[in-house]
């Protein structure tokens, strides 16, 4: 696991294992280290590794199995850093996320762009 992320609690799932490039669905809830709720449990879906979430979340989801649960502590440098977030997350906040991986859909290899360099001009 990436430096700056610590698994606090975990329940191993029995399904497919999430890897970068997979389309995943998960539920998450966020709290400040002191316990204040940042956002209640909500459902999300992303292509893992697309950088749609803070780095700590995406790193914590890699390797989880479908049906699994993780509670992770995320250091500020993998969270919202010195900027914080929209008045909900103070600058340099340590975050606690609860993650439930609900589905993993493997994505096939992406097709390469066609090489048009050999076409006559």
């Amino acid at each position: 696991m990436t430096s700056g992320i610590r698994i606090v609690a975990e329940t191993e799932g029995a399904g497919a294992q999430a890897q970068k490039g997979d389309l995943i669905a998960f539920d998450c809830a966020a709290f400040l280290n002191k316990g204040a709720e940042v956002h209640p449990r909500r459902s999300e879906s992303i292509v893992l590794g697309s950088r749609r979430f803070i780095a700590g979340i995406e790193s914590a989801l890699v390797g989880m199995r479908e049906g699994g649960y993780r509670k992770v502590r995320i250091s500020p440098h993998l969270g919202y850093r010195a900027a914080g977030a929209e008045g909900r997350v103070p600058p340099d906040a340590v975050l606690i996320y609860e993650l439930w991986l609900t589905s993993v859909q493997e994505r096939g290899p992406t097709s390469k762009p066609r090489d048009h360099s050999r076409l006559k001009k």
Side-chain angles (χ1 to χ4, degrees), residues 1-108:
M1 181 130 317
T2 303
S3 176
I5 300 172
R6 184 172 48 121
I7 296 175
V8 178
E10 182 173 33
T11 301
E12 186 75 25
Q17 189 173 36
Q19 299 300 322
K20 286 186 179 180
D22 292 343
L23 176 61
I24 63 167
F26 65 99
D27 289 355
C28 64
F31 305 87
L32 296 177
N33 195 39
K34 304 278 185 194
E37 186 176 74
V38 173
H39 69 73
R41 187 172 175 168
R42 65 181 188 213
S43 296
E44 301 285 349
S45 63
I46 61 168
V47 172
L48 194 52
S50 63
R51 296 183 180 195
R52 206 173 123 214
F53 283 86
I54 60 172
I57 293 297
E58 294 215 16
S59 292
L61 288 163
V62 171
M64 278 187 77
R65 292 197 174 275
E66 208 171 58
Y69 164 82
R70 280 185 181 166
K71 183 175 185 178
V72 295
R73 180 187 181 277
I74 300 174
S75 296
H77 74 281
L78 294 174
Y80 293 98
R81 302 176 180 259
E86 305 167 14
R88 295 177 296 146
V89 178
D92 296 316
V94 172
L95 299 169
I96 305 296
Y97 268 85
E98 292 187 82
L99 304 167
W100 297 265
L101 187 60
T102 56
S103 74
V104 176
Q105 184 176 13
E106 280 186 43
R107 297 181 57 138

